[in-house]
Amino acid sequence: MAEGDISLEETPTWAVAVVCFVLLAISITIEFILHLIGKWLKKKNKRALYEALEKIKAELMLLGFISLLLTVGQGPISEICIPKSVGETWHPCNKKQEKKKYEDGKNNSDDNSRRKLLTFLDPNENNRRVLAADKYGKCPEA
């Protein structure tokens, strides 16, 4: 949290209620609009489009449920530690192929002229793309 931010426990109840009400109102409005579109499609005998709309609604429901599960479980999920020996075996290329590709990239001037975003280069290890490197993670060094 940035300095000056307040936690959810310190947030006024009315502010939390307003945010929840706005999200609920938007959800109900979207559901009502989809219901009206479904009624219109049935009235115009567009059975295939109506079925497609129902499939989209089901997928959105599933996506929302998965999002809820990920939000609720983000703490336990982030504490899962994968052993380094297992992590090193799940590469699409073996170490020889990765080393050859890295050396070929060094010799190719066209390849070196491009920016390499999100790349962590360590002479002792393979090239790995890193989104958020945490040197002091919760996993014990093994």
Side-chain angles (χ1 to χ4, degrees):
M1 246 185 317
E3 197 171 311
D5 287 350
I6 57 174
S7 67
L8 185 60
E9 290 89 12
E10 298 167 348
T11 305
T13 306
W14 65 266
V16 175
V18 167
V19 169
C20 289
F21 176 76
V22 168
L23 291 174
L24 189 64
I26 291 170
S27 298
I28 291 172
T29 303
I30 291 172
E31 177 67 27
F32 182 71
I33 290 170
L34 289 174
H35 180 71
L36 289 177
I37 292 171
K39 281 177 66 175
W40 181 80
L41 289 173
K42 270 188 164 181
K43 182 180 174 184
K44 295 291 184 180
N45 291 326
K46 308 275 186 186
R47 189 80 178 136
L49 288 176
Y50 178 74
E51 292 296 325
L53 180 68
E54 289 297 316
K55 294 253 185 207
I56 289 171
K57 284 169 54 175
E59 289 298 322
L60 286 174
M61 188 73 146
L62 182 62
L63 182 67
F65 183 68
I66 291 171
S67 176
L68 176 67
L69 286 178
L70 287 173
T71 302
V72 169
Q74 74 183 10
I77 290 170
S78 67
E79 293 176 3
I80 295 173
C81 293
I82 298 173
K84 194 172 184 177
S85 60
V86 173
E88 289 177 350
T89 60
W90 291 7
H91 292 283
C93 302
N94 63 25
K95 290 188 183 220
K96 290 179 185 176
Q97 289 174 327
E98 287 180 6
K99 186 176 180 182
K100 183 177 185 282
K101 183 178 178 183
Y102 177 68
E103 288 172 355
D104 289 346
K106 276 185 171 178
N107 298 334
N108 188 353
S109 62
D110 185 35
D111 189 40
N112 279 338
S113 63
R114 293 185 287 156
R115 289 177 50 192
K116 295 185 183 198
L117 299 177
L118 302 173
T119 304
F120 175 70
L121 298 174
D122 188 355
N124 299 329
E125 293 189 24
N126 297 330
N127 288 344
R128 294 198 178 154
R129 293 181 180 252
V130 179
L131 293 177
D134 183 11
K135 290 189 176 195
Y136 308 104
K138 296 175 182 165
C139 295
E141 286 294 322

